[in-house]
Amino acid sequence: MMNNSPDNESHPSAGGGLPVIQYWVEKTFTPTGVKLWQTLNHKSACLSCAWGTGGQKGGFVNEAGEYLQRCAKSVEAIASELQPAISQEFFEKYSISQLQQLTSQECDRLGRLSYPLILRTGSSHYERITWSEVYQIAVPAFRQPAQRIATYSSGRSSNEAAYLLQLLMRSLGSNNLADCSDLCHAPSTVGLKQVFGSGTSMVSLESLKHSDCVVLIGSNAPANHPRLMNELIKLRQRNGKVIIINPQIEIGLVKFASPAFPIKSLLTGGSDISTLYLQLIPGSDVALFIGLQKSLIAQNLIKTEYLTSYTDGWQAVIDYANQTSWDSITANSGLSQEEITAAAYLIGTSKSVVFAWAMGITQHSNGVDNVFSIANTALITGNAGKVGAGTMPIRGHSNVQGFGSMGVTVNLREEIKQALSKLLQKPISETPGYHTRDLIEAATQGKVDTLLCLGGNLYAANPDLQQAQQALSQIQTIFYVATKPNLGHFHGLAQHQTLLLPVFNRFENPHQTTTESGNNFVRLNDEGKSHLQYPDADLISEVELLTEIAHRLHGESPINWSKLQDTNYVRELIAKTIPGYQKIATIDKNQEEFTIEGRIFTQPKFATTSGKAQMVVTPLPQLSLPTKADFGISENQVGIVVILGTGRSYGQHNTVVYHREDKYRGMPHRHCILMNSLDVQKARLQQHQRVSVKGNAGELDNIEIICGAIREGAVFMFYPEANILFKANIDARSGTPAYKRIPVCVYVK
């Protein structure tokens, strides 16, 4: 562990830029460099974020046909997948207790899983088994009572695998289809469905190109969705405005040097991004948006005729904003009336405004209210249901939205339920399913016997890692379907047997698959070939795994499950049962990628029963801080109580860590806390000092203080390491934990 972080002067002056180019060059001149570039050009969607690129137009081409749309995240993800296989001798040599000492980065760098493994009760080592043995274990495991079997999934897989996963579970009478989206964008889905009748972005990539203002809230797009930055650069070039709302100043949101604009990046050091940057108190987003609404009303910038014609409930929203005092708004948000008024003027005088957000909005105990407040602001300015305007949640995993579309959700749409009932020739169970947090609570109580994880890292993604580990240890059998090891494979161990099942990644599948971008565009992925070859390697596809389990359970009734090994046939069933997906039936024949019907609103007629948007009053959040005494710490002890927001580093994808340091934030390792220098002084601490950080579930010691551009009273630490600190404070309407507002005490023991 390094003792000192770089001085502020040594931080990059813009996001992206030279570090990205250096990383590309470094990876090019490795033994896998040729294979890396071949894969980057492979006709398949990016493994990283849901900002669509790849597909039948080529690996570097986005859904608008634009080139140079790969980023460092793409290179990181592909380079990781091109690692050699882990030898059988490795698992014979290292015990589970030794493997539990590894960091996330060290887990990832072990290499690729290439043969099935099992850890049995009482054993200290994973051991190799055959696929025949896997199925012998799987059949009785999935014949347990329907409510005692469950799945968890991430967005790493295809639409076809997602569809088969939920079809298998529904056929068994279970709705326990937990998904990683439960931990991130579920409030977006819940909130937008209530307001607009559709839970995804109403803005296509083509529509975004007609916007003259983007309000970006709670997103570190330069790190997590770098290709979105290209659109913001082009918007600024056409004299558009970008308003950033974030407690922390991310350098890439101030200035960004994109490889897609090499000359500009080299000559000027990057492009200006933010027109206005608002650093609010974490968790006060509703207060800010009520303030924006209040100011828009005062400046006569609201669209009353639009509200009357195309919305319901608008008068109550207007009245609430008018009745809320500026004192309560500014005290709650930490922003001045002048700052909010300036932002309202930019929004109200722009022609077409897109409101975009990520987990800085959703991961709060009032995440759904946050989404409602954004939707209300879009509606009172007439910025919903027209080209270049609307609401745009930014999904973080490449096909997480596709999983929801395929029915991997505990909130199944009625149309899909009816279609699946017809397909399976029996009613779909009405027993409510477990979303991710419900699954952890149920497992803790011994109510789950069998769990299949299709990708993801259920252990590390959850708050309160001790609880997560305890919950998983109550499950009889866990199947982890993955390409590489992660922390969950060594800490999230089942009571009886834990299996690691190696599968091909997206660009290796022996069949064509599809994925869905965060802007509702369906991409076709070509078949590929793995560098891991039989007989040394023994991998299968997720489609083969799921259909083989289903066939052994059901035979050929009421569906010919073995025929579903053919992804063309899977797509035929998707077209018949998933609304808006009719074109997928012929995508392999005509190579025509498409935008899903009924989601992009270019006219103010929405997918609600009345066709009108349903506006909802959002109460001002009640924000407070505990005292040191609440943490069992003396008020006289050196330290301070602050609000922690957890997040990913610039060299990280979800729970997978590629780089130990974060150069853009000046954080040299994973055991840092980013603080405002005024808080450091107030607490009688110093930069680079080692401190303890205590939450309501756990404590971390030897954490290095790094001073950075984060607002006073707020601090930042890396996920998933910081998850050990806090219990899950849940948004009741979506089940999403509040990762972005966690009271902690930073102190010296």
Side-chain angles (χ1 to χ4, degrees), residues 407-463:
V408 180
T409 174
V410 297
N411 299 307
L412 193 63
R413 291 173 59 179
E414 189 60 36
E415 311 97 290
I416 301 177
K417 188 183 295 184
Q418 295 302 322
L420 292 178
S421 295
K422 184 176 180 181
L423 179 64
L424 293 171
Q425 297 178 25
K426 67 175 185 178
I428 298 299
S429 171
E430 296 296 331
T431 303
Y434 297 141
H435 62 55
T436 301
R437 285 305 308 170
D438 285 342
L439 171 60
I440 293 295
E441 296 296 337
T444 302
Q445 298 167 30
K447 295 181 179 180
V448 180
D449 290 330
T450 302
L451 173 66
L452 184 145
C453 293
L454 192 67
N457 187 345
L458 179 59
Y459 160 76
N462 267 278

Side-chain angles (χ1 to χ4, degrees), residues 335-350:
L335 297 169
S336 68
Q337 183 177 344
E338 289 74 21
E339 289 175 294
I340 297 172
T341 298
Y345 180 79
L346 290 177
I347 293 167
T349 56
S350 296

Side-chain angles (χ1 to χ4, degrees), residues 30-53:
T30 63
T32 58
V34 173
K35 181 66 174 175
L36 173 65
W37 279 92
Q38 290 173 342
T39 306
L40 281 165
N41 280 290
H42 187 259
K43 291 182 178 179
S44 58
C46 179
L47 296 175
S48 190
C49 79
W51 195 259
T53 189

Side-chain angles (χ1 to χ4, degrees), residues 306-317:
Y306 173 97
L307 291 169
T308 303
S309 301
Y310 305 119
T311 74
D312 290 326
W314 66 273
Q315 188 63 58
V317 172

Side-chain angles (χ1 to χ4, degrees), residues 322-399:
N322 271 328
Q323 293 162 11
T324 305
S325 71
W326 274 115
D327 284 347
S328 59
I329 290 169
T330 57
N332 197 295
S333 67
L335 297 169
S336 68
Q337 183 177 344
E338 289 74 21
E339 289 175 294
I340 297 172
T341 298
Y345 180 79
L346 290 177
I347 293 167
T349 56
S350 296
K351 293 180 180 179
S352 300
V353 184
V354 169
F355 294 83
W357 66 90
M359 289 179 282
I361 279 294
T362 58
Q363 290 182 330
H364 290 278
S365 58
N366 66 336
V368 173
D369 272 347
N370 286 342
V371 174
F372 285 155
S373 70
I374 295 170
N376 288 342
T377 308
L379 288 163
I380 71 168
T381 54
N383 279 300
K386 69 177 181 180
V387 174
T391 50
M392 189 177 78
I394 311 170
R395 310 284 176 170
H397 208 321
S398 56
N399 196 38

Side-chain angles (χ1 to χ4, degrees), residues 87-137:
S87 70
Q88 185 168 328
E89 291 73 24
F90 175 86
F91 287 105
E92 292 172 353
K93 179 178 180 181
Y94 293 99
S95 68
I96 191 66
S97 60
Q98 290 173 301
L99 295 173
Q100 288 173 340
Q101 305 307 308
L102 298 175
T103 65
S104 176
Q105 184 181 30
E106 288 167 341
C107 288
D108 187 70
R109 290 188 177 178
L110 292 177
R112 286 286 297 277
L113 295 167
S114 63
Y115 48 84
L117 291 154
I118 189 169
L119 180 70
R120 307 179 197 271
T121 301
S123 175
S124 60
H125 290 71
Y126 271 107
E127 59 185 272
R128 183 169 184 169
I129 58 173
T130 66
W131 284 106
S132 177
E133 290 173 292
V134 170
Y135 296 127
Q136 288 171 17
I137 293 169

Side-chain angles (χ1 to χ4, degrees), residues 149-351:
I149 62 176
T151 63
Y152 173 78
S153 52
S154 77
R156 66 165 301 280
S157 308
S158 63
N159 285 332
E160 290 74 13
Y163 185 81
L164 290 170
L165 179 70
Q166 65 86 27
L167 193 64
L168 169 61
M169 291 295 284
R170 310 286 184 198
S171 73
L172 296 169
S174 178
N175 292 319
N176 295 331
L177 286 145
D179 186 70
C180 65
S181 63
D182 301 331
L183 301 176
C184 55
H185 263 292
S188 300
T189 304
V190 172
L192 293 176
K193 274 187 178 179
Q194 184 168 336
V195 178
F196 299 114
S198 174
T200 68
S201 172
M202 70 170 68
V203 182
S204 66
L205 178 57
E206 175 57 35
S207 179
L208 179 60
K209 295 178 182 299
H210 297 278
S211 172
D212 64 342
C213 180
V214 168
V215 183
L216 184 63
I217 319 123
S219 165
N220 184 17
N224 300 320
H225 317 90
R227 293 186 298 276
L228 170 59
M229 302 307 296
N230 294 335
E231 301 306 317
L232 299 184
I233 289 170
K234 286 183 281 190
L235 182 145
R236 290 302 307 271
Q237 288 175 342
R238 58 179 184 262
N239 297 319
K241 307 292 190 295
V242 176
I243 300 170
I244 305 294
I245 299 170
N246 197 321
Q248 184 176 169
I249 293 182
E250 304 287 2
I251 186 61
L253 293 174
V254 177
K255 195 167 191 174
F256 191 80
S258 171
F261 303 92
I263 296 176
K264 184 176 182 63
S265 296
L266 289 173
L267 291 180
T268 68
S271 305
D272 292 333
I273 301 298
S274 57
T275 308
L276 180 64
Y277 208 121
L278 302 178
Q279 287 183 270
L280 77 174
I281 291 172
S284 68
D285 302 271
V286 166
L288 168 58
F289 279 92
I290 290 172
L292 290 171
Q293 296 158 21
K294 186 177 184 71
S295 182
L296 286 161
I297 296 165
Q299 296 182 68
N300 197 29
L301 293 173
I302 69 169
K303 307 293 185 183
T304 306
E305 186 177 338
Y306 173 97
L307 291 169
T308 303
S309 301
Y310 305 119
T311 74
D312 290 326
W314 66 273
Q315 188 63 58
V317 172
I318 296 294
D319 290 345
Y320 188 84
N322 271 328
Q323 293 162 11
T324 305
S325 71
W326 274 115
D327 284 347
S328 59
I329 290 169
T330 57
N332 197 295
S333 67
L335 297 169
S336 68
Q337 183 177 344
E338 289 74 21
E339 289 175 294
I340 297 172
T341 298
Y345 180 79
L346 290 177
I347 293 167
T349 56
S350 296
K351 293 180 180 179

